[in-house]
Amino acid sequence: MLSYRWILLLSVVVVVAVAAELPLASTTFKTLTGNAPLVIARGGFSGLFPDSSQFAFGFALSATSTDTSLWCDVQLTKDGVGFCLRDLLMQNGTTISQVYPGGKQTYRINGVPKTGWFPVDYNMSLLTNQFSTHIYRWAVTQALFSRTDKFDFCNFRIFSVTGFMSSIEPSSLWLNVEHDVFYTEHGLNMTNYILSVQKLGFVKYISSPELGFLETLSGGIDNKVKLVFRFLDKAVSDPSTNKTYDSMLSDLAFIKTIASGIMVPKSYIWPVTSDNYIQLPTQIVKDAHDTGLEIYASDFSNDGIFPYNYSYDPLEEYLSFVSNGGFSVDGVLTDHPLTASEAIGNILIISHNGASGDYPDCTDLAYEKAVGDGADVIDCSIEMTKDGIPICMSSINLYDSTDVQNSKFSSLASVVPEIQTKPGIFTFNLTWEEISTLRPKITHPYHDFVRNPRYANQGKFFKLSDFLTYAKDKDLSGIMIIMKNAAFMAKSLGFDVVDLVTTALSNAGYDNMDPTTKNNKEIMIQSKDSAVLVKLKQRLTQCKLVYSLPVKVGDVSDSCVADIKKFADAVIVDRESVFAESKGFIIRKSKVVEDVQSAGLAVYVEVFRNEYVSPPVDFFADGTVEINNYVQLQVPIGDLAQLLDAECSTGGMLPALAPMPVLNSSDVIEPPLPAAEPKSAAGSSATNACVVGVRAPPPLFSSSREYVLLATLLLLQML
């Protein structure tokens, strides 16, 4: 197994949890008992596999810890057999509408007519032998389809509660009964059924949104089994009491006479505004604990709609419930239990590149947020203005990161073939003073995922000199300077970017830092142009030189690695060059990392994003799980793809991947940079500003917890 040392460059700050390598922290959680919050896997690992299937339950236990409690929504068949399925309307989680197309019925559920296929119309034998479950998509209610449909074609059968117990043998089983009143109306006795199965010893929790149902159990259950009253939407009424859940919040003392805990939607604890930002937390956790009730939070999922404060980072959301400094809930109910488990283990934060998931790229606000959230390194991607000033800008095309197309400069649009084939307005079309008048624009890598709209156009851009001054007295390990389009800048614009950058570093005092102080910084310079790094290498620089490989490379020849080592200390590869994907599933791991590491070069991987559609299916819509697999391989590579091939019909199989190309010396060797005809504003002659003292990098692991946000670019140094 590979071992990795971390250096991360993030255009937003990232949360990293390495549970497999870190011991549990000696954290005292502010739960009712002081114990760690309980992770409750709703229907097993239902964010990946069909809810309540054998694979979902089994995978939840293998991917998390033995302490995880498996949640079963109990439904009753016509012949009184209990089975696990999330929804009373069976068409929402099974193929029953295809198997029994004439079975649709309309019944009143809590006084409201509902139409569909109901378990009370079928004996258990008709369900277990006739059709399989399919994945329950949170997207049905969230208008976002992100969960793979590949496992819908697998042979997953309906699970009876007792069959589930004997097959999985969970250490902790949570039974949830949603519709006791409905089943009673159809002549079925849920109370007797639950009392009988809890005697088998696996059941640790029983919950229901019907307080009257819990009251019928209170005298007959084992004293080790906890009863939990589940609150639903505040405007809805408990059918057993005809009281709204909102009104029942003021009667926790009475609930305590029946139950030992309550479960509430997460919005009861952290309310959300109409424009999707969290408000201050309520007092409900304190009120429950003061009453002697445990309190559990529900509705967690890695692929739901997140308040913008969390920047699409599910781990950050969990942390606000279990370790926010003021309180801890006693457990969380989730479709993705692995992420919840990460939130309750040790956490390490390494970040860089500005918090561009929260603020526009390369602005003062983005850099301030990154530093405040614990970044070790921040970066500046160099572009040039018309008057020869190097600035920090994520794209040479101002369309990408400013409102220039709506400004008085909109008529300057043109096509520059050396840069791109589409029209744009480029940094070198405007002076620094003119660029300073533009409004920044936050980036949105995925159309359906809006980032922090309140601050989408806030912040001020930095010149390189501003960036260097800002970073110099911050508690950072280093800075990263990214050079792009250097040949074009020299030939067409007359700017020697290497000269300008090294001069700016020297002018900012980066060549005479005291290695014994916190102000000492390591300087890293990155480029996809080998000629840039060759020129820097020839100046006997002590900067760390980082070469960006072309995308989707499957192998690197020995001669190519030898040539790269002549001018670089490290390389950057895209993540698909490490793990090749087909339809979002990982098929194989390439040899790129091993090829480059064998020559003594560090390897970095990019680009990672927290939006849950970004990671491969193998990483469970969780950017932190994805990151951890570049630190320590935790998920068996290709297993899900093999499962589809072995267990599923043709509709679930993946198309084959063609081999990715081998990188050869001819792909990386470039002619020297052309000589620049200096303009008057281009600056003075170069100095050897990269000869600086280098502070040792921070330790990989820390006992402290730091919490930060959305990742969009990650570079990992692999040893």
Side-chain angles (χ1 to χ4, degrees):
M1 181 174 293
L2 297 174
S3 114
Y4 298 77
R5 186 171 78 235
W6 285 73
I7 298 179
L8 312 180
L9 284 96
L10 305 174
S11 45
V12 194
V13 186
V14 64
V15 177
V16 180
V18 193
E21 291 197 7
L22 292 176
L24 289 177
S26 58
T27 302
T28 301
F29 291 97
K30 295 184 178 181
T31 57
L32 183 65
T33 63
N35 296 327
L38 179 70
V39 176
I40 311 157
R42 185 169 190 180
F45 212 118
S46 56
L48 176 61
F49 295 104
D51 185 283
S52 304
S53 64
Q54 184 173 359
F55 274 34
F57 284 129
F59 196 78
L61 288 184
S62 64
T64 59
S65 71
T66 56
D67 296 331
T68 297
S69 189
L70 300 184
W71 171 286
C72 167
D73 285 290
V74 182
Q75 312 296 342
L76 287 180
T77 62
K78 186 177 182 178
D79 50 346
V81 178
F83 65 96
C84 303
L85 194 68
R86 179 174 300 198
D87 205 322
L88 185 63
L89 295 170
M90 295 183 67
Q91 71 271 17
N92 290 337
T94 73
T95 58
I96 192 170
S97 62
Q98 302 169 30
V99 177
Y100 300 116
K104 184 186 295 185
Q105 300 289 337
T106 299
Y107 295 119
R108 297 186 73 83
I109 310 297
N110 299 338
V112 179
K114 299 285 185 180
T115 299
W117 283 257
F118 295 85
V120 294
D121 295 321
Y122 302 91
N123 289 333
M124 189 63 188
S125 60
L126 294 177
L127 300 185
T128 55
N129 296 325
Q130 296 294 326
F131 62 90
S132 62
T133 59
H134 68 80
I135 196 163
Y136 183 91
R137 292 185 178 80
W138 186 259
V140 170
T141 57
Q142 299 293 349
L144 294 170
F145 262 95
S146 67
R147 295 185 179 179
T148 179
D149 63 351
K150 295 301 181 182
F151 294 109
D152 288 1
F153 300 91
C154 298
N155 191 29
F156 298 134
R157 299 293 175 181
I158 292 290
F159 235 153
S160 71
V161 175
T162 54
F164 160 64
M165 291 177 176
S166 61
S167 298
I168 303 297
E169 296 185 349
S171 61
S172 175
L173 176 59
W174 187 308
L175 300 181
N176 181 64
V177 176
E178 199 84 357
H179 298 289
D180 175 61
V181 170
F182 171 79
Y183 285 113
T184 299
E185 291 171 350
H186 287 265
L188 296 168
N189 193 318
M190 182 66 80
T191 299
N192 287 347
Y193 179 79
I194 295 297
L195 289 174
S196 66
V197 297
Q198 63 94 27
K199 295 178 181 178
L200 299 178
F202 296 99
V203 179
K204 299 294 187 291
Y205 303 86
I206 300 171
S207 63
S208 178
E210 299 177 9
L211 192 60
F213 171 69
L214 294 179
E215 194 170 14
T216 66
L217 296 175
S218 58
I221 62 167
D222 188 290
N223 58 12
K224 294 181 180 179
V225 177
K226 295 182 178 181
L227 297 182
V228 178
F229 178 56
R230 188 178 181 195
F231 284 77
L232 302 181
D233 185 88
K234 290 183 178 181
V236 174
S237 295
D238 171 0
S240 69
T241 64
N242 291 322
K243 295 180 179 179
T244 65
Y245 292 106
D246 188 32
S247 67
M248 297 178 77
L249 283 173
S250 61
D251 206 4
L252 295 181
F254 175 70
I255 293 174
K256 179 65 170 64
T257 65
I258 299 171
S260 61
I262 61 174
M263 176 174 282
V264 299
K266 58 187 180 183
S267 60
Y268 275 46
I269 300 171
W270 287 98
V272 179
T273 63
S274 59
D275 60 344
N276 203 31
Y277 288 85
I278 58 172
Q279 302 179 60
L280 293 174
T282 67
Q283 292 293 307
I284 188 171
V285 176
K286 182 179 185 301
D287 292 343
H289 286 171
D290 287 348
T291 311
L293 288 166
E294 292 183 315
I295 180 168
Y296 305 87
S298 65
D299 300 342
F300 287 91
S301 170
N302 288 5
D303 49 9
I305 294 179
F306 289 92
Y308 295 117
N309 310 71
Y310 301 133
S311 297
Y312 299 101
D313 183 352
L315 185 60
E316 181 72 9
E317 181 180 39
Y318 286 113
L319 290 171
S320 71
F321 285 83
V322 304
S323 188
N324 82 331
F327 61 81
S328 298
V329 296
D330 297 277
V332 291
L333 176 64
T334 176
D335 291 4
H336 294 84
L338 178 56
T339 308
S341 296
E342 292 167 343
I344 297 168
N346 258 355
I347 299 185
L348 174 71
I349 310 301
I350 310 175
S351 60
H352 175 54
N353 210 21
S356 58
D358 294 307
Y359 300 102
D361 300 358
C362 300
T363 58
D364 57 341
L365 295 179
Y367 288 127
E368 288 169 6
K369 185 68 164 66
V371 172
D373 283 340
D376 293 312
V377 180
I378 57 175
D379 82 325
C380 172
S381 184
I382 299 298
E383 302 296 350
M384 296 300 302
T385 66
K386 183 178 180 179
D387 50 342
I389 296 177
I391 63 174
C392 301
M393 191 70 67
S394 60
S395 172
I396 194 171
N397 185 1
L398 293 171
Y399 280 177
D400 297 333
S401 55
T402 77
D403 67 343
V404 68
Q405 58 267 57
N406 299 320
S407 73
K408 63 183 179 180
F409 308 112
S410 59
S411 61
L412 296 178
S414 64
V415 174
V416 180
E418 298 94 331
I419 302 298
Q420 61 183 47
T421 58
K422 296 180 180 180
I425 300 175
F426 304 97
T427 58
F428 52 80
N429 295 141
L430 302 180
T431 66
W432 167 244
E433 183 177 356
E434 290 169 334
I435 288 175
S436 299
T437 67
L438 301 176
R439 298 176 70 204
K441 182 173 67 176
I442 202 167
T443 54
H444 300 287
Y446 302 102
H447 177 71
D448 291 328
F449 294 81
V450 176
R451 290 177 170 179
N452 200 8
R454 287 185 184 176
Y455 297 91
N457 301 107
Q458 303 298 311
K460 297 178 181 179
F461 293 117
F462 271 0
K463 294 180 292 185
L464 173 59
S465 58
D466 298 330
F467 171 83
L468 295 174
T469 300
Y470 173 81
K472 190 174 181 181
D473 64 350
K474 299 297 184 293
D475 190 13
L476 298 166
S477 297
I479 58 172
M480 170 75 87
I481 306 296
I482 304 171
M483 297 189 192
K484 300 176 289 186
N485 306 306
F488 169 79
M489 297 288 185
K491 181 178 180 180
S492 300
L493 304 178
F495 298 132
D496 187 329
V497 180
V498 174
D499 185 331
L500 290 167
V501 168
T502 53
T503 298
L505 286 166
S506 180
N507 290 342
Y510 280 76
D511 55 352
N512 58 5
M513 291 183 173
D514 182 353
T516 65
T517 70
K518 75 172 186 177
N519 290 333
N520 183 54
K521 303 288 187 291
E522 179 177 37
I523 301 170
M524 305 170 73
I525 296 182
Q526 173 193 340
S527 182
K528 66 180 180 63
D529 302 316
S530 62
V532 170
L533 303 181
V534 168
K535 187 172 182 177
L536 285 165
K537 193 79 170 182
Q538 290 170 345
R539 294 186 175 188
L540 303 177
T541 176
Q542 291 186 13
C543 296
K544 178 173 286 186
L545 303 181
V546 184
Y547 179 60
S548 297
L549 298 186
V551 299
K552 295 187 178 180
V553 173
D555 203 348
V556 184
S557 68
D558 291 343
S559 61
C560 184
V561 172
D563 285 325
I564 292 172
K565 192 172 182 181
K566 294 174 183 177
F567 58 79
D569 305 300
V571 301
I572 294 172
V573 300
D574 66 294
R575 63 182 186 178
E576 286 194 56
S577 291
V578 181
F579 296 128
E581 300 175 29
S582 176
K583 298 295 184 180
F585 287 81
I586 295 176
I587 302 300
R588 60 176 177 263
K589 181 177 179 292
S590 78
K591 295 177 58 181
V592 172
V593 173
E594 289 83 352
D595 290 341
V596 179
Q597 286 178 339
S598 64
L601 288 167
V603 180
Y604 301 81
V605 181
E606 66 178 19
V607 172
F608 293 79
R609 295 184 171 91
N610 276 357
E611 284 96 341
Y612 55 75
V613 295
S614 177
V617 175
D618 306 67
F619 300 141
F620 323 125
D622 184 345
T624 303
V625 172
E626 182 178 22
I627 290 169
N628 284 345
N629 276 272
Y630 289 86
V631 180
Q632 181 180 12
L633 296 179
Q634 298 173 330
V635 175
I637 299 304
D639 275 17
L640 291 183
Q642 294 175 25
L643 174 64
L644 288 173
D645 289 342
E647 300 290 339
C648 304
S649 62
T650 304
M653 298 178 69
L654 302 171
L657 279 184
M660 290 190 292
V662 176
L663 193 69
N664 294 303
S665 292
S666 59
D667 299 311
V668 303
I669 296 176
E670 299 174 346
L673 289 176
E677 292 293 335
K679 295 184 178 181
S680 59
S684 60
S685 61
T687 63
N688 196 14
C690 287
V691 181
V692 298
V694 178
R695 187 176 71 174
L700 174 57
F701 301 121
S702 170
S703 61
S704 63
R705 290 169 172 258
E706 298 173 87
Y707 312 128
V708 288
L709 304 175
L710 174 73
T712 57
L713 172 62
L714 168 65
L715 303 182
L716 303 176
Q717 180 177 351
M718 307 177 188
L719 298 181

